[in-house]
């Protein structure tokens, strides 16, 4: 049986890890290099690094910090933020990323997913979708959750997977930072629509939320969180022990 992955997320702004609620009110947390090294040794299965203001500010991702993060860890690294071209994919991969996450760049230019998948392989291309309910519909948001694209989310995600995205990170804006549990309804809808690994993001507040996630959606591949790991609310190794006790397969 494939083990479920536990993935901390580093949201980086101006060279520092930050965290907010519903993508707003960002507070400083730590150095991304120090935090990455900690998670690499603390039992995390992978690490996600988002330069969260690169797209909104129309600039390229901070490669110097990224390179330092990549050098400090021994687990797979997914990187996103300001990915708009194959050159951006190339640059980030050369800095040490294993996978590249694309969000706003794919909304502006959907063909980038297929082009990147053909050049680097499907396994390297991760679609990151920021999704929020609007008038009862799951809607895709761009620019770090600032801009409603008007696109229905499930059909958008399916289209991107059909074009070559090998993995999907579903960021629920409604539950982000709220710590009330993952968005089970939204995540089920995505898992029913695609046949690639799906990573749940947004809403984890305690270890039990991960147990609920993997029980309610057996097909989900991973749970991603930020603040509960950053502030020590949940210890990754203790979380995995609890999951194992609940017959959920994890790598210890």
């Amino acid at each position: 049986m494939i083990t479920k992955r536990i993935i901390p997320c580093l949201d980086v702004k101006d060279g520092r890890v930050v965290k907010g609620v519903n993508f707003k009110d960002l507070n400083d947390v730590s150095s991304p290099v120090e935090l990455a090294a900690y998670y690499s040794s603390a039992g995390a299965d992978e690490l996600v690094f988002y330069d969260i203001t690169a797209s909104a500010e129309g600039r390229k991702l901070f490669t110097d910090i990224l390179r330092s993060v990549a050098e400090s860890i021994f687990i797979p690294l997914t990187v996103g933020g300001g990915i708009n071209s194959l050159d951006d994919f190339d640059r980030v991969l050369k800095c040490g990323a294993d996978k590249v996450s694309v969000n706003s760049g794919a909304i502006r230019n959907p063909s980038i997913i297929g082009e990147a998948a053909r050049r680097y392989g499907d396994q390297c291309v991760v679609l990151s979708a920021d999704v929020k309910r609007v008038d009862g519909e799951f809607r895709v948001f761009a620019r770090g959750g600032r801009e409603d694209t008007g696109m229905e989310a499930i059909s958008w995600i399916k289209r991107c997977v059909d074009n070559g995205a090998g993995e999907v990170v579903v960021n629920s804006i409604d539950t982000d930072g709220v710590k009330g549990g993952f968005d089970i309804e939204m995540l089920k809808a995505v898992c029913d629509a695609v046949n690639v690994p799906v990573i749940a993001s947004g809403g984890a507040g305690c270890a039990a939320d991960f147990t609920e996630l993997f029980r309610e959606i057996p097909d989900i591949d991973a749970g991603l969180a930020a603040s509960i790991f950053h502030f020590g609310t949940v210890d990754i190794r203790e979380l995995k022990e609890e999951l194992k006790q609940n017959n959920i397969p994890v790598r210890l």
Side-chain angles (χ1 to χ4, degrees), residues 89-116:
F89 268 82
D90 196 59
R91 187 167 47 86
V92 167
L93 290 169
K94 285 177 178 174
C95 285
D98 298 282
K99 294 181 278 189
V100 181
S101 174
V102 61
N103 187 332
S104 296
I107 292 168
R108 284 189 291 271
N109 175 24
S111 65
I112 190 176
I113 289 178
E115 292 168 0

Side-chain angles (χ1 to χ4, degrees), residues 11 28 78 91 98 103 109 122 127 150 193 210 243 247:
D11 291 323
D28 184 84
T78 298
R91 187 167 47 86
D98 298 282
N103 187 332
N109 175 24
D122 292 10
L127 173 71
F210 287 86
L243 291 171
N247 298 313

Side-chain angles (χ1 to χ4, degrees), residues 87-157:
D87 285 344
D88 292 329
F89 268 82
D90 196 59
R91 187 167 47 86
V92 167
L93 290 169
K94 285 177 178 174
C95 285
D98 298 282
K99 294 181 278 189
V100 181
S101 174
V102 61
N103 187 332
S104 296
I107 292 168
R108 284 189 291 271
N109 175 24
S111 65
I112 190 176
I113 289 178
E115 292 168 0
R118 285 188 292 274
R119 179 175 293 188
Y120 303 108
D122 292 10
Q123 79 290 340
C124 184
V125 182
V126 179
L127 173 71
S128 178
D130 295 335
V131 183
K132 181 179 173 66
R133 290 167 178 78
V134 179
D135 297 328
E137 177 181 72
F138 293 133
R139 198 79 61 80
V140 178
F141 276 65
R143 292 168 57 84
R146 297 170 181 82
E147 179 183 296
D148 184 354
T149 66
M151 293 192 298
E152 193 277 322
I154 307 304
S155 57
W156 163 249
I157 291 169

Side-chain angles (χ1 to χ4, degrees), residues 133-252:
R133 290 167 178 78
V134 179
D135 297 328
E137 177 181 72
F138 293 133
R139 198 79 61 80
V140 178
F141 276 65
R143 292 168 57 84
R146 297 170 181 82
E147 179 183 296
D148 184 354
T149 66
M151 293 192 298
E152 193 277 322
I154 307 304
S155 57
W156 163 249
I157 291 169
K158 187 176 187 309
R159 173 186 172 189
C160 292
V161 169
D162 290 344
N163 286 343
E167 190 168 78
V168 179
V169 178
V170 182
N171 309 301
S172 171
I173 298 175
D174 293 322
T175 61
D176 175 72
V178 176
K179 301 180 183 178
F182 289 98
D183 198 325
I184 301 296
E185 179 191 19
M186 181 185 294
L187 293 163
K188 276 185 176 177
V190 174
C191 285
D192 288 345
V194 301
N195 59 356
V196 299
V198 175
I199 298 171
S201 172
C206 61
D209 291 334
F210 287 86
T211 302
E212 180 192 29
L213 170 70
F214 294 127
R215 277 182 170 167
E216 291 291 325
I217 316 176
D219 291 337
I220 203 97
D221 285 79
L224 180 151
S227 57
I228 62 166
F229 296 142
H230 297 343
F231 299 117
T233 307
V234 173
D235 176 85
I236 292 175
R237 285 203 171 88
E238 291 176 1
L239 166 61
K240 286 186 169 185
E241 289 289 353
E242 183 169 325
L243 291 171
K244 184 182 178 183
Q245 290 169 12
N246 282 280
N247 298 313
I248 294 165
V250 292
R251 181 182 64 83
L252 291 171

